[in-house]
Each structure stands twice: as structure tokens, then as C-alpha cells.
Amino acid sequence: MPIESTPLPLIAVTMGDGAGVGPEVIIPALLDDETRKRCRPVVVGDAKRLRPAAEVLGIDVDVVPDEEIKDGEFIDGRINVIDLDLLPEDLAWGELSAVAGDAAYQYIRVASELAVRGEVQSICTAPLNKEALHAARHIFPGRTELPALLADAEEVLMMLSTPELKVIHVTTYIGLLDAVVRIEPGLVERIIRRGDEALVRTGNLSPKIGVRGINPHAGENELFGYGEEEKKIIPAVELLKAEEIDVHGPLPADTAFFLACRGDYELIVAMYHDQGHGPVKVLGIEDGVNMTVGLPVIRTSVDHGTTFDIAGKGIAEAGSGSKRCGRRPN
């Protein structure tokens, strides 16, 4: 009796802000042979926005609205879409729009509902625009928090992933002064632990984790700052070391990513937004993926924005680039 193969996972791909590059990025990405070998993608968005995006790109594709996920047919030259029909046909490319902001919210809401019901195994979100979201009165700090609320998750964290390394943040969308105040040993411990658990779930059973300091040179024995590393970071690191988690730090900011990029660490724990985002985008913005840790399903997104300046021009890059940092050979 033949063994039945396991069906490829169903992925809900939200269209993002319809005035941005989301529709242009989605079409070639979903038609790519490698994508179709790995999953069954279904767009949650607007069919009448995907079609002009295909025209801009010069791609002949059949965009087919489906009532339900189970109605999709995964054949060459076809894109299945749960069509919410929220955008006007004359929506301008590259312009801030409250209508597009509301639609972007609704796409993620529907995708989250599909995930909670078990109809899809993962969510991939095209970029949305926070200003457009706010204009539509959906007040969220970013793409990470929105799916978390809709999926009723207790706590979610942003993890940026490139082929070379991963970065998780202790704080993200708050000002630098507020971030330093918020950082405390219990929070640092929890974030390190969540990062370790996430990597273990992906098959890395003993990840090496580097924790960045707050001050230049990680304070250099309180030479810089007011002992933040000693008060806020070191207690958490020592506690986790005692549990045999392979964690190191606090590390000076000017060397941590060099060490990680050559292979010393699989995960860097950044203390605040720019401390993690800046180096990752220099090292791998063309290959970067934004992952959400703490949701009941896998959720990923691109690590760039709506790039209104090139939207509608057919030049947005759908695939990964080829930049690599100098990882030490195995």
C-alpha cells in the first residue's frame, strides 16, 4: 500500500499596504518554483490590486479569488487570494492612505483568524505602514504586536534572522531613555530564555548566545555609564549560565556582531531597537526575515518597509540578495 505524502503547509500571505511594494513583491515570490516546492501560499488581500501589480511587473498570471482556503488550486500561473475587496481601483501608488492602512489591518486580522482556527500553518506579512495604520485608527507599535493581539498571545518578541545570525531584542519601539529604564534582570533573563527556546525549536539544541551591553565597551567595569551592565544584565546572564544555557556577555557593541558574523554566536540579544536593527540591516537586509517569537503559529515578514518611493514602478526586489559577511569556515 503506497504511503501518502504529507501535504505542503498552507501559508496565509497578507498583502500589506496596497499603496506600497507589497503586491509587487508577493506576485513573483508566490510564482517562484522554490516557493511552490515548500508551501501552498494563499494571499489575503485584494485581487484588484494584485492584477495591476502584475501588469506593472509584466507578468501574466491568473489571480483567482477564493471564498475559503480549501478552495485554492495550486497550479502554475495561478495565485489564490482570499479577496477582501477593500481598496478603491484608483488607489495611488506610493501615497499615504488611511484606506490602505485599514485594509492592511484587516488582512492581518483575517490571516490571524485563519491561523487560530488551524486553517493555515503560518502567516507571512508583506510590509505595512505604521502611519497609515494610525491614520485608520489602528494604533500598534509595529507588525510584531498586531498579530500577537489578534492571536491573543501572552507575549511576543521580534527576532531578525539572516543566513549568518539571528537577533532578538529586549526592548524595541520605545525611546532610548525609556529603554534603559525598562531593562532589568528579569526582563533580560526572559528574553534570553525565549531566544534560546526559539532556536531549540528550530533544531539548534544548544545555541550559543551573545548578549550586548548598554554602554560603550559594555561599561568597561563601570568606566562608562552608571553600572547598568552590572545591575541589569550580568545577574540574568549568570543565572542562565548556572542552568547550562550557553550565554555570554555583556559584550561590547563594537565587536559583538563581528564575533557573531564569523560564527561565534548563533543569536545576539540586543538591548534596544537600533542596537540590533542597524547591524543586521548592514549585514543582511537583502536576506533578512522578521520572525515573531511567542505566537501559536510561525509568523514571518520582510525586514523592510513599504518603500513608497518605488511602489508601482515594477522594480521592487522579491527575492534574496547575495550579500554575505565573512563567516569563518567550518
Side-chain angles (χ1 to χ4, degrees):
M1 184 174 181
I3 299 175
E4 294 185 6
S5 60
T6 303
L8 293 173
L10 283 161
I11 310 297
V13 182
T14 63
M15 200 178 75
D17 192 302
V21 298
E24 295 170 78
V25 170
I26 284 174
I27 289 169
L30 268 58
L31 294 176
D32 184 77
D33 289 340
E34 286 302 314
T35 300
R36 303 181 84 84
K37 289 177 184 176
R38 296 169 183 264
C39 66
R40 293 176 290 163
V42 178
V43 179
V44 179
D46 270 50
K48 64 175 173 289
R49 194 57 168 178
L50 292 170
R51 293 187 183 110
E55 292 177 8
V56 165
L57 294 165
I59 294 176
D60 184 18
V61 61
D62 192 12
V63 177
V64 182
D66 297 316
E67 289 291 330
E68 299 182 49
I69 288 287
K70 63 182 178 62
D71 297 331
E73 294 181 29
F74 300 92
I75 57 178
D76 290 345
R78 170 173 170 145
I79 290 179
N80 300 286
V81 54
I82 301 298
D83 187 10
L84 301 194
D85 193 21
L86 297 173
L87 298 177
E89 292 186 4
D90 61 351
L91 179 72
W93 293 104
E95 294 184 10
L96 186 73
S97 165
V99 172
D102 178 64
Y105 168 85
Q106 302 301 338
Y107 304 150
I108 293 181
R109 176 186 62 80
V110 171
S112 299
E113 291 171 355
L114 292 169
V116 169
R117 293 198 300 265
E119 295 184 43
V120 298
Q121 287 72 59
S122 180
I123 300 171
C124 179
T125 58
L128 48 79
N129 184 284
K130 285 190 281 291
E131 190 176 351
L133 270 179
H134 290 191
R137 300 187 178 181
H138 301 299
I139 311 301
F140 297 93
R143 288 171 286 188
T144 300
E145 293 78 10
L146 178 50
L149 179 64
L150 296 171
D152 196 27
E154 180 180 345
E155 179 186 55
V156 295
L157 303 167
M158 177 189 301
M159 180 182 285
L160 300 180
S161 176
T162 76
E164 282 75 29
L165 76 156
K166 294 175 174 60
V167 179
I168 197 167
H169 296 71
V170 175
T171 66
T172 49
Y173 294 107
I174 58 175
L176 183 55
L177 293 178
D178 293 332
V180 174
V181 171
R182 182 174 296 184
I183 296 166
E184 50 87 19
L187 177 60
V188 173
E189 176 201 341
R190 190 166 75 248
I191 302 307
I192 297 171
R193 201 182 292 277
R194 288 287 183 96
D196 179 72
E197 291 169 353
L199 266 64
V200 169
R201 287 180 64 190
T202 64
N204 187 339
L205 299 183
S206 184
K208 296 184 68 174
I209 302 171
V211 181
R212 294 186 65 167
I214 296 172
N215 295 298
H217 296 193
E220 202 165 313
N221 297 318
E222 300 191 41
L223 179 62
F224 306 114
Y226 300 94
E228 287 87 356
E229 281 76 15
E230 285 73 16
K231 297 172 186 174
K232 296 171 177 285
I233 300 175
I234 290 176
V237 171
E238 293 301 322
L239 175 65
L240 294 170
K241 278 184 176 179
E243 296 182 16
E244 298 187 353
I245 291 177
D246 194 358
V247 58
H248 305 264
L251 303 174
D254 55 356
T255 59
F257 273 86
F258 165 75
L259 296 174
C261 200
R262 76 177 188 182
D264 289 18
Y265 305 108
E266 284 89 27
L267 175 68
I268 289 290
V269 179
M271 291 296 119
Y272 51 88
H273 180 281
D274 287 8
Q275 194 185 61
H277 275 62
V280 165
K281 292 193 174 185
V282 169
L283 294 172
I285 189 170
E286 293 178 315
D287 299 302
V289 175
N290 184 333
M291 304 170 60
T292 302
V293 175
L295 287 176
V297 298
I298 297 169
R299 178 264 174 183
T300 63
S301 79
V302 295
D303 69 350
H304 61 73
T306 48
T307 53
F308 282 163
D309 58 322
I310 64 170
K313 298 179 180 179
I315 59 175
E317 173 59 52
S320 295
S322 58
K323 288 185 179 178
R324 294 289 186 271
C325 61
R327 176 177 286 278
R328 179 194 303 160
N330 292 329

